[in-house]
C-alpha cells in the first residue's frame, strides 16, 4: 500500500454521484428575525401492556395522563399516545402485505397487494424466523409441527404472519398474510432442509475439562463468524420492519447461539438496538427442548478422557456449554421486551404468549430530554397513577450514537455495512482508477489508486503538523458475485503544515494479483474525525492476452516519480510512477507515460546472421498531443529492439513530455504503438488538462509531491 500527497486539481472533478446531506437528529433553521427553531425528530417508542395485578386481565380505557415515563430516573414528556387492540382490527383481504416474498410457486405467481399503513392498525404482526443453520432435523420437525398447529387452530383473524428462514442465505419465504393455507403450505417446506452447514464447531473446552492427553481443534473463530451471521440476520429483519409503526413480534426458532466472551458483543448490541428501534419484540424458542445433559457428552464430541466423568467436572462443563448457547437468546428476548422459552418440548406457550402480549397495548412515545448521542443504555421506568395495575414494557434502549462515541467493533461494522451496501456513501468525495500489468499467462498485477481531496479531510493541528486518520476498505468481486480480493488499511497522516495538505489531494495506492476476467471494485474511505464516508465503484476487464494481436498493459500517466526499491511494474530504474488519475498537469511539470507490451513478435533472422543469435524485435512508440484539429507536439520516436523486462517477456516503454512549452488548456493525446515485426498496431487516446504553474505560496514541495519518508510523504 502507498499514500502520497499530490497537487490540487484546479478545475472541478466530476464526482460519482451528488453529495447528500447527512441525516441529523436536530435541525437548525435561521429565521429572518434571528430566531432558531430546534426540532428533535428521534421519537422513542415503547409499548405498555397494563394488567390487573390480581387477575392478569388487560386493563383498557387508560389515558395519557395516567402514565409517567422516566429515563434514567428523569421524567420525560409524553409526545404520542395510542391504544391498539386486535378486537378493533379491520379484516384485510389481500394475500400479501408488502409483496417481498415470492411464495412456493416462484416469482410472479402470487398476488402482490401492498397494504396501507393505516390498514395495519390493531393487527397482530408476527414473524416466524426459522434458523435452519442451528437446528437438528428432529428439532426442526418439532418446530414446524408447532407452527402448523398454531396456524390451523390458534391463528386469529387479526393475525398477520410472515415466514423467514436462514440457511445458506436469509430469505423471506412468505410476507405478512392472513391466508392460513398459504402459510401452512409454506412452513412445510422447512422439513428436510437439514445439513445447511454453519453448525457450531468444537473448541478447546468441548467436553475435556482437565484432560490434556487428546487433541481437540479450536474452532472459536469459526463459531464467532456463525454467531455474527445469525445476529446480522436478526438485525436485517428488524431494519426491514422499521417503517411499520405497529408493534411486531418475532418468534425465533433456534438450536442455540454461542458467544465467545465479548467477541460478538457489537453484533449482539446492534441486533438488539435495531429490534428496539423497529418496535420488534423477540420471543426466543430453544428447539432442542428438554435435554438430558450427560457427563460423557453427545455424539458431536470425542470420547471423554481423564477423571472429569467421576468428579463432576465434565457434567459442569457440559451444563455451562448448554447455558452459554441459551444466554444470547435470553438477552435478545429480555432486552427487546419479549420472552425466552427454554427446556420444554411444547412450543405452544410461545405462540400463546405472543398473542397475549399483543392483544391490546398502549403505544407511548417521547422525545428524550438527554441530547447526548453517546450510544449508552438508558433505563426506562413507566409508572401509572392507578393502584392495582401491573405494567409490562421494555426495560430500556440504546441511545443514538455519533461517530466519536462509537467503539472499534461498531466502526468496523459500519465500514463493512457500507462496503456491502447498494447505495454509495457520498459524504466525502472519492475518486478511483485501476490499471493492469501482466505477470504471467494467467495472472495480472492490478494497481488501484484512490484520491481524496485534502479539503474534505478535517486535519487537526499538532504542533507544526497537520494530522488526520483515514480508514480505507475495499473489495474485488468477480462475475459470479464472489469476493476474491480485499484491502483494509488505517492510514495515519502526519504532514508538515508547510505542505498545504488542505489545498492538495491525498492519494492512496494498493494492488491485487488477479486472473483474467471481469471484476467489480468498490472502495470506501472514512475520515476518523467526524466519521464521514465516501465510496467509489468501478469495473475492470483483464483481457485474455492470447486473443489480442498487440498485447498491451494499461497506460499510466504520472506527474511524479519517487524513489522505490520494491519490485513492481510501476517501478523502473529505482523510480516509481505515481499514477495521476485526474489527468491534470501543470506547465512546470512533466507528463510521464509508462506502459508495457507483451510477447512482441520476433523479427525473421537474416540469412547471414550467425547461428545462436536470438531474433530481435522492432517496437515503435510516440506520443502526439492534439488541440482542436492541430497537432501541437509529438515526442521523438522511441524504438525497442529487445525485451527489457526479464521473466515476463515484456517491453516497458517510458515517455517524458516536458509541459513548459505547451499553452494551458485541454489536449487529446494519441499514443502510437507499432509492432513492426508482427504487423500489429494500436492508437489509444486519452485527454489531459494542462494548467498554469502553481503560485510560490502553493508550491511547498518540489514538483507538487510530498517528499518520501514516513508520515511526511509516501507511507507504506
Amino acid at each position: 500500500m502507498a499514500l502520497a500527497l499530490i497537487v490540487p486539481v484546479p478545475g472541478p472533478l466530476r464526482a460519482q454521484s451528488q453529495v447528500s446531506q447527512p441525516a441529523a437528529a436536530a435541525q437548525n433553521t435561521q429565521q429572518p428575525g434571528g430566531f432558531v427553531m430546534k426540532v428533535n425528530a428521534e421519537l422513542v417508542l415503547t409499548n405498555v401492556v397494563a394488567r390487573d395485578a390480581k387477575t392478569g386481565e388487560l386493563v383498557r380505557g387508560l389515558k395519557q395522563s395516567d402514565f409517567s415515563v422516566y429515563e434514567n430516573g428523569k421524567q420525560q414528556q409524553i409526545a404520542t399516545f395510542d391504544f391498539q387492540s386486535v378486537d378493533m382490527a379491520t379484516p384485510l383481504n389481500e394475500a400479501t402485505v408488502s409483496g417481498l416474498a415470492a411464495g412456493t410457486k416462484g416469482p410472479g405467481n402470487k398476488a402482490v397487494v401492498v397494504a396501507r399503513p393505516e390498514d395495519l392498525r390493531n393487527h397482530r404482526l408476527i414473524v416466524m424466523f426459522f434458523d435452519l443453520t442451528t437446528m437438528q432435523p428432529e428439532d426442526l420437525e418439532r418446530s414446524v409441527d408447532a407452527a402448523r398447529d398454531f396456524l390451523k387452530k390458534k391463528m386469529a383473524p387479526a393475525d398477520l404472519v410472515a415466514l423467514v428462514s436462514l440457511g445458506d442465505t436469509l430469505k423471506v419465504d412468505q410476507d405478512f398474510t392472513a391466508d392460513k393455507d398459504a402459510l401452512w403450505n409454506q412452513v412445510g417446506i422447512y422439513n428436510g432442509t437439514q445439513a445447511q452447514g454453519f453448525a457450531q464447531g468444537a473448541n478447546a473446552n468441548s467436553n475435556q475439562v482437565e484432560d490434556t492427553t487428546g487433541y481437540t481443534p479450536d474452532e472459536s473463530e469459526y463459531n464467532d463468524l456463525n454467531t455474527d451471521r445469525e445476529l446480522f440476520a436478526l438485525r436485517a429483519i428488524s431494519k426491514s420492519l422499521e417503517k411499520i409503526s405497529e408493534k411486531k413480534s418475532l418468534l425465533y426458532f433456534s438450536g442455540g447461539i454461542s458467544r465467545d466472551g465479548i467477541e460478538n458483543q457489537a453484533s449482539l448490541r446492534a441486533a438488539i438496538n435495531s429490534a428496539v428501534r423497529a418496535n420488534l419484540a423477540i420471543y426466543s424458542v430453544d428447539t432442542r427442548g428438554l435435554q438430558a445433559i450427560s457427563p460423557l457428552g453427545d455424539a458431536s464430541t470425542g470420547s471423554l478422557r481423564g477423571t472429569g466423568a467421576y468428579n463432576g467436572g465434565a457434567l459442569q462443563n457440559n451444563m455451562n456449554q448448554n447455558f452459554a448457547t441459551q444466554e444470547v437468546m435470553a438477552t435478545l428476548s429480555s432486552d427487546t421486551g419479549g420472552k425466552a422459552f427454554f427446556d420444554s418440548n411444547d412450543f405452544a406457550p410461545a405462540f400463546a404468549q405472543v398473542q397475549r402480549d399483543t392483544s391490546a397495548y398502549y403505544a407511548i412515545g417521547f422525545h428524550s430530554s438527554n441530547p447526548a448521542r453517546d450510544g449508552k443504555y438508558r433505563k426506562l421506568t413507566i409508572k401509572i397513577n392507578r393502584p392495582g395495575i401491573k405494567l409490562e414494557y421494555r426495560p430500556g434502549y440504546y441511545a443514538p450514537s455519533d461517530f466519536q462515541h462509537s467503539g472499534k467493533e461498531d466502526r468496523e461494522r459500519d465500514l463493512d455495512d457500507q462496503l456491502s451496501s447498494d447505495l454509495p456513501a457520498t459524504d466525502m468525495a472519492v475518486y478511483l482508477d485501476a490499471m493492469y500489468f501482466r505477470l504471467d499467462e494467467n495472472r495480472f498485477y492490478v494497481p488501484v489508486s484512490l484520491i481524496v481531496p485534502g479539503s474534505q479531510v478535517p486535519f487537526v493541528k499538532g504542533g507544526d503538523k497537520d494530522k488526520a486518520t483515514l480508514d480505507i476498505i475495499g473489495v474485488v468481486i468477480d462475475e459470479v458475485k464472489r469476493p476474491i480480493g480485499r484491502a483494509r488499511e488505517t492510514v495515519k497522516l502526519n504532514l508538515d503544515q508547510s505542505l498545504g495538505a488542505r489545498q492538495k489531494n491525498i492519494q492512496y495506492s494498493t494492488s491485487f494479483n488477479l486472473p483474467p476476467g471481469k471484476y467489480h471494485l468498490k472502495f470506501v474511505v472514512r475520515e476518523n474525525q467526524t466519521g464521514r464516508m465516501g465510496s467509489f465503484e468501478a469495473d475492470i476487464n483483464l483481457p485474455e492476452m492470447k486473443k489480442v494481436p498487440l498485447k498491451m498493459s494499461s497506460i499510466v500517466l504520472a506527474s511524479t516519480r519517487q524513489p522505490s526499491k520494491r519490485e513492481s511494474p510501476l517501478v523502473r530504474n529505482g523510480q516509481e510512477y505515481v499514477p495521476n488519475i485526474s489527468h491534470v498537469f501543470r506547465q512546470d511539470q512533466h507528463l510521464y507515460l509508462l506502459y508495457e507490451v507483451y510477447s512482441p513478435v520476433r523479427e525473421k533472422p537474416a540469412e547471414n546472421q550467425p547461428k545462436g543469435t536470438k531474433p530481435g524485435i522492432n517496437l515503435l512508440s510516440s506520443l502526439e498531443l492534439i488541440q482542436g484539429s492541430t497537432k501541437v507536439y509529438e515526442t521523438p520516436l522511441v524504438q525497442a529492439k529487445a525485451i527489457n523486462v526479464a521473466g515476463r517477456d515484456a517491453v516497458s516503454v517510458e515517455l517524458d513530455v516536458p509541459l513548459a512549452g505547451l499553452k494551458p488548456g485541454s489536449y487529446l493525446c494519441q499514443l502510437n504503438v507499432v509492432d513492426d515485426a508482427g504487423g500489429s498496431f494500436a492508437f489509444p487516446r486519452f485527454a489531459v488538462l494542462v494548467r498554469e504553474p502553481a503560485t510560490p505560496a502553493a508550491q511547498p514541495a518540489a514538483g507538487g509531491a510530498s517528499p518520501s519518508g514516513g508520515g511526511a510523504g509516501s507511507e507504506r
Side-chain angles (χ1 to χ4, degrees):
M1 285 72 69
L3 187 80
L5 187 70
I6 67 175
V7 296
V9 180
L13 286 173
R14 295 182 61 187
Q16 192 178 22
S17 60
Q18 296 293 328
V19 177
S20 62
Q21 297 296 329
Q27 298 176 351
N28 296 335
T29 304
Q30 187 70 32
Q31 302 296 333
F35 298 100
V36 177
M37 180 178 68
K38 296 182 178 180
V39 179
N40 181 6
E42 291 176 343
L43 181 69
V44 181
L45 188 66
T46 185
N47 303 301
V48 181
V49 178
R51 300 186 185 279
D52 187 282
K54 295 182 178 179
T55 64
E57 295 295 326
L58 293 171
V59 178
R60 305 170 186 266
L62 299 176
K63 301 178 181 179
Q64 177 177 329
S65 57
D66 295 326
F67 293 90
S68 299
V69 179
Y70 298 84
E71 180 186 275
N72 288 342
K74 295 183 179 180
Q75 187 169 0
Q76 307 294 313
Q77 182 178 358
I78 297 177
T80 62
F81 183 84
D82 190 23
F83 176 74
Q84 296 200 26
S85 173
V86 295
D87 297 337
M88 300 182 290
T90 302
L92 291 176
N93 296 322
E94 59 266 20
T96 304
V97 169
S98 64
L100 294 177
T104 55
K105 297 182 180 180
N109 293 328
K110 178 172 287 192
V112 177
V113 181
V114 179
R116 297 173 299 175
E118 56 268 23
D119 294 337
L120 300 179
R121 178 178 171 81
N122 299 312
H123 282 83
R124 187 186 288 118
L125 302 177
I126 303 173
V127 179
M128 295 186 187
F129 178 30
F130 293 84
D131 188 352
L132 306 178
T133 67
T134 62
M135 289 189 281
Q136 297 297 322
E138 62 275 11
D139 301 336
L140 178 58
E141 183 178 358
R142 187 161 52 243
S143 61
V144 168
D145 290 343
R148 280 185 157 183
D149 185 70
F150 165 78
L151 295 172
K152 185 176 182 180
K153 301 178 181 178
K154 303 294 184 181
M155 184 174 173
D159 292 341
L160 297 175
V161 179
L163 301 176
V164 181
S165 63
L166 176 64
D168 296 333
T169 59
L170 179 65
K171 295 189 296 184
V172 181
D173 299 304
Q174 172 62 59
D175 212 331
F176 286 109
T177 181
D179 188 339
K180 294 184 179 181
D181 293 334
L183 290 166
W184 198 89
N185 292 329
Q186 190 68 36
V187 78
I189 69 173
Y190 298 140
N191 276 332
T193 55
Q194 63 270 21
Q196 292 285 333
F198 309 109
Q200 292 294 319
N203 56 58
N205 296 322
S206 296
N207 200 23
Q208 292 300 317
V209 196
E210 78 280 2
D211 176 46
T212 59
T213 60
Y215 169 74
T216 300
D218 190 354
E219 299 174 338
S220 299
E221 292 185 1
Y222 171 80
N223 295 340
D224 293 342
L225 292 174
N226 284 348
T227 300
D228 277 345
R229 185 173 181 268
E230 293 153 4
L231 294 173
F232 288 161
L234 288 168
R235 187 180 61 155
I237 296 172
S238 301
K239 285 185 174 295
S240 69
L241 298 174
E242 283 182 348
K243 294 183 179 180
I244 302 177
S245 59
E246 278 70 26
K247 181 179 180 180
K248 284 84 61 179
S249 304
L250 184 141
L251 277 162
Y252 178 40
F253 296 96
S254 172
I257 308 178
S258 64
R259 181 165 62 133
D260 182 13
I262 62 171
E263 294 297 329
N264 305 106
Q265 181 63 31
S267 304
L268 177 60
R269 175 176 172 177
I272 293 173
N273 197 25
S274 297
V276 169
R277 291 183 180 278
N279 200 14
L280 175 69
I282 299 176
Y283 294 78
S284 301
V285 180
D286 187 349
T287 58
R288 294 170 296 183
L290 185 61
Q291 302 180 77
I293 300 178
S294 168
L296 300 179
D298 54 27
S300 65
T301 60
S303 300
L304 185 66
R305 304 178 181 88
T307 61
Y310 308 102
N311 59 19
L315 180 60
Q316 182 65 44
N317 184 63
N318 289 338
M319 293 183 67
N320 291 340
Q321 292 272 43
N322 182 71
F323 173 79
T325 61
Q326 295 179 340
E327 185 265 338
V328 176
M329 298 174 65
T331 302
L332 287 169
S333 296
S334 61
D335 287 357
T336 59
K339 290 179 175 61
F341 296 85
F342 301 144
D343 303 325
S344 175
N345 295 330
D346 184 8
F347 301 154
F351 295 93
Q353 187 69 47
V354 169
Q355 288 186 312
R356 183 171 179 264
D357 290 348
T358 53
S359 295
Y361 59 92
Y362 298 88
I364 300 176
F366 66 92
H367 298 287
S368 176
S369 60
N370 184 359
R373 303 177 64 85
D374 52 13
K376 294 183 178 180
Y377 187 79
R378 298 179 181 179
K379 183 180 180 182
L380 289 180
T381 303
I382 301 178
K383 299 180 179 180
I384 191 167
N385 59 9
R386 296 190 183 186
I389 296 179
K390 179 183 178 181
L391 302 181
E392 299 174 1
Y393 54 88
R394 187 176 66 244
Y397 72 101
Y398 287 104
S401 62
D402 55 20
F403 182 76
Q404 295 297 329
H405 291 90
S406 59
K408 180 179 178 181
E409 296 85 356
D410 295 327
R411 295 187 180 190
E412 288 298 318
R413 187 183 66 250
D414 290 342
L415 281 175
D416 289 332
D417 288 348
Q418 184 55 56
L419 190 65
S420 60
S421 174
D422 293 332
L423 298 176
T426 55
D427 293 340
M428 63 187 301
V430 177
Y431 311 98
L432 177 147
D433 193 17
M435 293 152 283
Y436 61 84
F437 294 83
R438 193 184 76 174
L439 297 179
D440 55 44
E441 292 294 334
N442 296 306
R443 188 64 58 174
F444 285 87
Y445 172 80
V446 181
V448 178
S449 295
L450 294 94
I451 280 183
V452 178
S455 58
Q456 303 269 312
V457 181
F459 287 95
V460 177
K461 291 184 178 181
D464 60 347
K465 302 290 186 179
D466 283 332
K467 298 183 178 181
T469 304
L470 299 178
D471 277 325
I472 301 172
I473 189 171
V475 66
V476 180
I477 301 174
D478 64 10
E479 291 184 89
V480 293
K481 308 301 182 182
R482 296 177 304 182
I484 63 170
R486 187 178 176 90
R488 175 67 178 92
E489 184 84 0
T490 297
V491 179
K492 296 182 179 180
L493 301 174
N494 189 22
L495 307 175
D496 195 292
Q497 292 180 4
S498 63
L499 293 176
R502 292 176 176 83
Q503 286 75 44
K504 292 184 172 63
N505 292 331
I506 306 299
Q507 181 164 339
Y508 169 85
S509 298
T510 187
S511 62
F512 301 92
N513 286 348
L514 302 172
K518 296 180 179 180
Y519 300 95
H520 183 76
L521 289 81
K522 180 174 182 180
F523 273 76
V524 177
V525 180
R526 178 181 64 198
E527 53 86 6
N528 279 340
Q529 186 66 25
T530 64
R532 293 185 304 148
M533 288 191 283
S535 64
F536 200 100
E537 299 183 54
D539 294 321
I540 184 171
N541 182 20
L542 305 182
E544 289 283 355
M545 289 288 188
K546 295 180 180 180
K547 303 177 181 179
V548 182
L550 184 63
K551 305 172 179 60
M552 285 184 58
S553 70
S554 297
I555 302 170
V556 178
L557 301 183
S559 58
T560 303
R561 294 183 298 188
Q562 59 188 15
S564 177
K565 295 182 179 180
R566 69 192 187 103
E567 294 184 2
S568 166
L570 295 178
V571 178
R572 296 295 298 166
N573 300 318
Q575 295 290 316
E576 180 175 3
Y577 285 72
V578 179
N580 184 328
I581 68 176
S582 63
H583 290 197
V584 178
F585 298 83
R586 296 198 314 264
Q587 286 178 301
D588 56 348
Q589 293 179 323
H590 285 232
L591 167 59
Y592 300 114
L593 186 145
L594 172 70
Y595 71 94
E596 293 181 350
V597 176
Y598 306 103
S599 304
V601 177
R602 268 62 174 179
E603 293 183 310
K604 294 182 179 180
E607 294 181 359
N608 57 353
Q609 184 173 333
K611 292 184 178 181
T613 303
K614 293 183 178 180
I617 62 173
N618 190 17
L619 190 67
L620 306 174
S621 299
S622 67
L623 180 68
E624 300 177 7
L625 274 70
I626 304 169
Q627 195 169 45
S629 58
T630 305
K631 182 171 66 174
V632 298
Y633 183 86
E634 183 174 5
T635 64
L637 188 66
V638 176
Q639 185 177 25
K641 301 294 290 183
I643 299 295
N644 61 5
V645 180
R648 295 199 287 121
D649 193 21
V651 177
S652 180
V653 181
E654 301 175 79
L655 299 178
D656 183 352
V657 181
L659 301 177
L662 296 178
K663 296 180 180 180
S666 59
Y667 293 86
L668 179 65
C669 299
Q670 176 173 301
L671 178 63
N672 305 315
V673 184
V674 178
D675 185 353
D676 191 56
S680 58
F681 50 83
F683 305 104
R685 289 187 169 190
F686 47 88
V688 298
L689 178 66
V690 178
R691 307 291 289 180
E692 295 179 352
T695 60
Q699 199 173 5
S706 61
S708 62
S714 296
E715 182 172 328
R716 296 274 180 252

